[in-house]
Amino acid sequence: SGGPNYSESTIMSEVTIEMNEPPSGGRLTVLPDSGFAFNTTFALSSLDWDDDVADYPLKYIITSFNEDRNSATVLKTLSVVPSAKTNIPQGFGSAGYLVTCETIAMDIYESSASAFSNTTVMPLASSKLKSVATEQLSVALQSFDAELALGVISSATQALNVVDCSEAPDCGSDLNRFSCQTSRNTCG
């Protein structure tokens, strides 16, 4: 009886992990389907999202971008309000002024899903840019509409940073790059 006495035992445990599913089935509407930077107020609505009742309320953010999602402009900040009426910055001429809008629906556990919609946003004539931007910003500030102010500022920034892309190469199909955007006649 000089050695240790070992006994064998088996321990079992069970863990149930409940996974949260992101919202699903949603869509983004953008009306009208085309317009002009500054002069057109677009109505964007994040609709038809479904999620477990315990995951509500959902929150929404709406952005827009030209080709590169990493350079998105916030059109509506994160809130429970699923819609916004705002300006959208112009698209790039090299892409036919096409702008992609995205809504992200997020539940209380921050699980999220996206929906997209395209619209065409053409530039305002440069001779009208200052007066229309000033007028729109004044309206936004007088009505305490932060999202409209954000849209006007984003549209002005985009319009002021437009470069000449009239002699740029076919960047997409030939070079597998973004179209001309920020450097004169150069792929993005």
Side-chain angles (χ1 to χ4, degrees):
S1 105
N5 186 5
Y6 294 104
S7 65
E8 286 188 33
S9 65
T10 301
I11 300 175
M12 294 185 66
S13 177
E14 184 176 302
V15 175
T16 301
I17 298 175
E18 195 170 314
M19 300 296 291
N20 179 40
E21 294 286 329
S24 63
R27 63 189 173 97
L28 176 65
T29 61
V30 180
L31 296 173
D33 61 2
S34 67
F36 290 88
F38 298 108
N39 256 5
T40 305
T41 299
F42 291 88
L44 301 104
S45 298
S46 188
L47 305 167
D48 301 330
W49 292 98
D50 187 39
D51 206 350
D52 293 330
V53 174
D55 295 353
Y56 284 94
L58 298 181
K59 291 185 180 180
Y60 310 88
I61 186 170
I62 301 176
T63 63
S64 70
F65 59 92
N66 296 298
E67 295 181 347
D68 184 6
R69 190 175 177 197
N70 294 321
S71 299
T73 298
V74 175
L75 302 175
K76 191 198 89 52
T77 57
L78 185 66
S79 76
V80 296
V81 177
S83 61
K85 290 185 177 181
T86 189
N87 297 110
I88 298 176
Q90 72 186 53
F92 295 129
S94 57
Y97 301 107
L98 187 70
V99 176
T100 301
C101 297
E102 176 182 17
T103 183
I104 300 171
M106 183 181 303
D107 65 22
I108 63 169
Y109 302 108
E110 297 185 3
S111 184
S112 64
S114 296
F116 300 87
S117 184
N118 292 327
T119 189
T120 301
V121 186
M122 296 166 282
L124 188 65
S126 58
S127 61
K128 297 181 180 181
L129 183 62
K130 182 179 177 184
S131 64
V132 172
T134 301
E135 177 186 329
Q136 290 283 328
L137 190 56
S138 177
V139 167
L141 295 175
Q142 287 174 4
S143 62
F144 300 100
D145 189 338
E147 289 178 347
L148 181 57
L150 180 63
V152 172
I153 292 167
S154 296
S155 293
T157 302
Q158 182 79 21
L160 292 171
N161 288 313
V162 168
V163 295
D164 177 16
C165 294
S166 60
E167 296 179 24
D170 184 0
C171 304
S173 60
D174 290 346
L175 302 173
N176 198 27
R177 294 178 61 194
F178 289 125
S179 62
C180 177
Q181 301 171 9
T182 57
S183 297
R184 185 176 172 262
N185 294 319
T186 305
C187 295

